[in-house]
């Protein structure tokens, strides 16, 4: 299992310390949540914070854009250190073009689906994707309750990927803990994002190791 702890739940007054802690942990990726206050009802952070994180870890930066009009900023995210750039299906009227532009910029490309967005809408682009991010909460905040219906979505997505002979990694974001993580692993998830479960635990590195074993 690929583990991508969400930096959104870290202590931003100690971002160097927390990034170094993640860097030394068994985490595979660092999940970076960018929110614009328009696509989602919250504002998180932008380029200077990505660059600060990049300075303290060379792990894969798994950047989740919860923003309108992501096309405008693709090159800036590349310059700030993003390795994987994930955009929301709901924010991209010309998704095929956006996918091409992210690849052209030299990054892996992901598409995120809100809880109400069905998996089959990716049918025509699935072969072009490196990752699909299933949102198991409504995006905008850490610490929300896991939406159980996400498990069936993972199963549907795994089926679609197989049918189309595609290679996209199935990643899940929101309300992930050891209990939901186990069900997701059984359903076919290959990467788990975890924010509050990691950072609110007594020993975040041990929590990451436990998730990694799922
Ligand atoms: C939610 C973000 C998540 C968030 C997950 O909009 O996309 O990445 O940090 O937080 P937890 O794991 O606390 O649900
Ligand atoms: Zn996220």
């Amino acid at each position: 299992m690929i583990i991508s702890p969400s930096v959104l739940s870290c202590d931003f007054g100690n971002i160097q310390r927390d990034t170094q802690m993640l860097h030394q942990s068994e985490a595979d990726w660092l999940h970076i949540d960018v929110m614009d206050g328009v696509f989602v009802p919250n504002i998180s952070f932008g380029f200077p914070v990505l660059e600060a994180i990049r300075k303290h870890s060379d792990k894969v930066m798994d950047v989740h854009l919860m923003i309108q009009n992501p096309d405008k900023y693709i090159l800036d995210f590349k310059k700030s250190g993003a390795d994987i750039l994930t955009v929301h299906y709901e924010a991209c009227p010309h998704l095929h073009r956006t996918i091409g532009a992210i690849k052209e910029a030299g990054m892996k490309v992901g598409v995120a689906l809100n809880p109400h967005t069905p998996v089959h809408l990716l049918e025509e682009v699935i072969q072009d994707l490196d990752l699909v991010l299933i949102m198991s909460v409504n995006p905008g905040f850490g610490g929300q309750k896991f939406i159980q219906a996400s498990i069936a979505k993972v199963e549907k997505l795994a089926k679609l990927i197989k049918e189309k002979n595609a290679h996209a990694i199935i990643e899940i974001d929101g309300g992930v803990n050891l209990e939901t993580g186990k069900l997701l692993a059984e359903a076919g998830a290959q990467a788990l994002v975890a924010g509050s479960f990691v950072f609110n635990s007594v020993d975040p590195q041990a929590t990451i190791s436990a998730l990694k074993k799922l």
Side-chain angles (χ1 to χ4, degrees):
M1 185 64 79
I2 294 168
I3 304 301
S4 190
S6 174
V7 171
L8 188 67
S9 293
C10 85
D11 173 359
F12 284 99
N14 286 295
I15 196 158
Q16 175 175 355
R17 181 200 66 191
D18 284 0
T19 305
Q20 283 167 344
M21 179 279 288
L22 293 177
H23 185 70
Q24 285 154 14
S25 76
E26 282 191 76
D28 302 275
W29 300 347
L30 305 179
H31 187 80
I32 318 283
D33 288 303
V34 178
M35 305 178 185
D36 67 354
V38 181
F39 180 67
V40 286
N42 195 11
I43 297 176
S44 59
F45 48 74
F47 307 116
V49 172
L50 267 78
E51 285 156 23
I53 293 167
R54 185 38 102 210
K55 259 192 229 158
H56 301 293
S57 176
D58 58 5
K59 289 203 184 200
V60 169
M61 282 228 289
D62 166 34
V63 179
H64 175 195
L65 298 186
M66 285 159 274
I67 66 173
Q68 293 289 15
N69 208 355
D71 304 65
K72 224 172 137 181
Y73 305 103
I74 290 171
L75 293 177
D76 298 291
F77 281 107
K78 171 69 184 170
K79 278 187 214 135
S80 300
D83 297 295
I84 304 171
L85 198 61
T86 295
V87 295
H88 264 265
Y89 175 88
E90 303 81 6
C92 297
H94 304 288
L95 184 62
H96 184 271
R97 180 188 292 151
T98 307
I99 291 166
I102 294 172
K103 286 185 170 177
E104 185 76 9
M107 293 174 283
K108 301 263 187 207
V109 58
V111 171
L113 299 180
N114 273 339
H116 72 278
T117 305
V119 160
H120 71 81
L121 291 173
L122 293 179
E123 247 171 55
E124 304 303 328
V125 292
I126 192 74
Q127 282 159 327
D128 301 325
L129 299 180
D130 297 302
L131 182 144
V132 177
L133 181 61
I134 300 276
M135 291 307 302
S136 39
V137 297
N138 285 294
F141 304 91
Q144 302 183 81
K145 195 174 173 296
F146 182 79
I147 298 171
Q148 287 293 335
S150 317
I151 293 166
K153 279 179 87 174
V154 172
E155 286 166 354
K156 281 185 197 154
L157 178 59
K159 201 164 158 246
L160 175 67
I161 290 171
K162 205 168 166 215
E163 273 168 18
K164 295 273 186 178
N165 207 9
H167 67 276
I169 289 176
I170 303 177
E171 185 180 36
I172 322 298
D173 187 6
V176 169
N177 54 36
L178 283 172
E179 203 180 311
T180 55
K182 187 169 183 289
L183 299 173
L184 291 164
E186 284 164 6
Q190 294 153 297
L192 298 176
V193 175
S196 50
F197 185 62
V198 167
F199 281 95
N200 293 347
S201 67
V202 182
D203 184 345
Q205 289 183 335
T207 303
I208 291 166
S209 301
L211 286 166
K212 180 98 192 115
K213 289 195 189 84
L214 284 173

